[in-house]
Amino acid sequence: MSDAHLTPELLAQLRSWEGRSETLHDEITAAPVRNLSATLDRDDPLPARGTELPPLWHWLYFLPGHRQGEIGVDGHAKRGGFLPPVPLPRRMWAGGRLQWHAPLRVGDEVERKSTIASVTHKAGRTGDLVFVLVRHEVSNAQGVALTEEHDIVYRAAAQPGDPVPAPQPAPGDAAWSREIVPDDVLLFRYSALTFNGHRIHYDRKYVTEVEGYPGLIVHGPLIATLLVDLARRQTSGAKLASFSFRAVRPTFDLHPFRVNGQPAADGRSAQLWAQDHEGWLTMQAEATFR
């Protein structure tokens, strides 16, 4: 997809998507839970009906079911449909905010209502940026279990000589830390589990030659899941009440990276972050516990 000039008329058309909603239904089945547990290198008991779904693992459900003929050159569905048809080629999951109200469990029949909350435009140093905010409510038979705000950013294609944002050093006071090796198998397994066809995560020729990145990009949701997983490994029995995260810098498959955490003194919250092999901050997050 080539870049298009975002005229006031086009931006008004994109903003007309605000308020649109869709409702999807699914069932929390055991197989995705078992397979993500294996992907994260966990030794969990086999999930059965009634097993509580770990936080962020709802991303294994309500997956896109677009037919092959509806897929664009980047591996995503072609522009349009529920999301506005933003004519910028690079699309990334920029962050999100989640609150848990009640557990989801294996065997639950679930519903997700999604609404386009806002479409905003900014002119960045490397061209146009369009931010789409989507709000989700996930419910089971007992009512709303989870509310989520999902930030999507669309960017212009990379150009030679584009300014590179100055990297931000990661905090140095981690009480919790784990090294992650983002090899091709890890990225493939997560893409498969989330039915994510975006080629930046598995097609090295495409991501380097078309989108201009140095290597395969580690999924933002995978890094967020690894941050929450780190907190789960370090806290015994604590239940997540809320989680917010923001992608700061892309993480590539070329080197190991680290997920880190620092709990508050009262144990009711934790600062979480990811850093690359050079110590630069790649994701910031905060978790609160019940």
Side-chain angles (χ1 to χ4, degrees):
M1 177 186 299
S2 60
D3 292 358
H5 181 57
L6 296 179
T7 63
E9 294 77 16
L10 179 54
L11 290 170
Q13 179 188 357
L14 296 177
R15 291 192 183 102
S16 73
W17 257 253
E18 293 179 348
R20 295 194 184 195
S21 65
E22 71 172 8
T23 300
L24 301 177
H25 295 86
D26 209 338
E27 179 183 354
I28 306 296
T29 53
V33 177
R34 180 181 67 243
N35 293 336
L36 182 56
S37 179
T39 300
L40 300 181
D41 210 16
R42 297 182 58 88
D43 187 22
D44 292 327
L46 289 176
R49 179 172 290 273
T51 297
E52 187 170 330
L53 191 69
L56 303 188
W57 292 29
H58 69 288
W59 289 336
L60 301 174
Y61 304 94
F62 308 106
L63 302 182
H66 300 98
R67 293 161 44 201
Q68 191 66 18
E70 298 171 336
I71 301 300
V73 67
D74 63 354
H76 273 307
K78 294 174 183 176
R79 301 296 198 259
F82 171 63
L83 290 173
V86 179
L88 297 175
R90 294 196 288 175
R91 169 178 156 181
M92 303 288 285
W93 190 324
R97 293 152 299 284
L98 304 96
Q99 288 189 313
W100 284 266
H101 311 292
L104 296 169
R105 299 183 184 277
V106 172
D108 282 357
E109 299 285 342
V110 286
E111 174 186 280
R112 187 187 74 185
K113 181 178 180 181
S114 303
T115 304
I116 306 294
S118 65
V119 179
T120 56
H121 168 253
K122 293 182 180 179
R125 291 185 299 168
T126 59
D128 287 309
L129 300 169
V130 173
F131 296 88
V132 177
L133 170 61
V134 184
R135 290 198 175 102
H136 304 289
E137 284 189 345
V138 180
S139 305
N140 57 14
Q142 286 71 50
V144 175
L146 166 67
T147 52
E148 175 179 5
E149 292 188 334
H150 172 191
D151 301 322
I152 305 169
V153 61
Y154 297 82
R155 302 177 61 193
Q159 301 295 330
D162 278 350
V164 178
Q168 180 179 344
D173 57 347
W176 311 332
S177 189
R178 182 184 176 206
E179 183 178 85
I180 307 296
V181 178
D183 60 22
D184 300 36
V185 177
L186 176 63
L187 302 192
F188 167 79
R189 293 176 95 180
Y190 191 77
S191 287
L193 280 167
T194 54
F195 205 50
N196 182 351
H198 200 183
R199 293 169 66 182
I200 63 173
H201 304 304
Y202 62 86
D203 186 336
R204 194 173 304 276
K205 182 178 175 68
Y206 172 84
V207 77
T208 56
E209 296 184 8
V210 177
E211 298 221 5
Y213 293 107
L216 298 177
I217 297 177
V218 182
H219 316 64
L222 173 57
I223 299 174
T225 300
L226 286 163
L227 288 172
V228 170
D229 182 65
L230 176 71
R232 291 180 63 213
R233 291 169 187 261
Q234 297 291 336
T235 57
S236 56
K239 300 287 187 182
L240 211 61
S242 68
F243 179 71
S244 61
F245 69 101
R246 181 175 66 90
V248 176
R249 180 181 174 89
T251 299
F252 303 103
D253 73 326
L254 306 175
H255 304 278
F257 67 95
R258 302 197 73 84
V259 288
N260 305 290
Q262 180 63 47
D266 62 7
R268 299 180 63 182
S269 65
Q271 298 297 315
L272 303 165
W273 66 93
Q275 66 186 69
D276 65 18
H277 67 292
E278 296 181 300
W280 301 124
L281 183 69
T282 60
M283 182 173 284
Q284 278 184 314
E286 182 177 12
T288 65
F289 307 101
R290 298 189 192 281

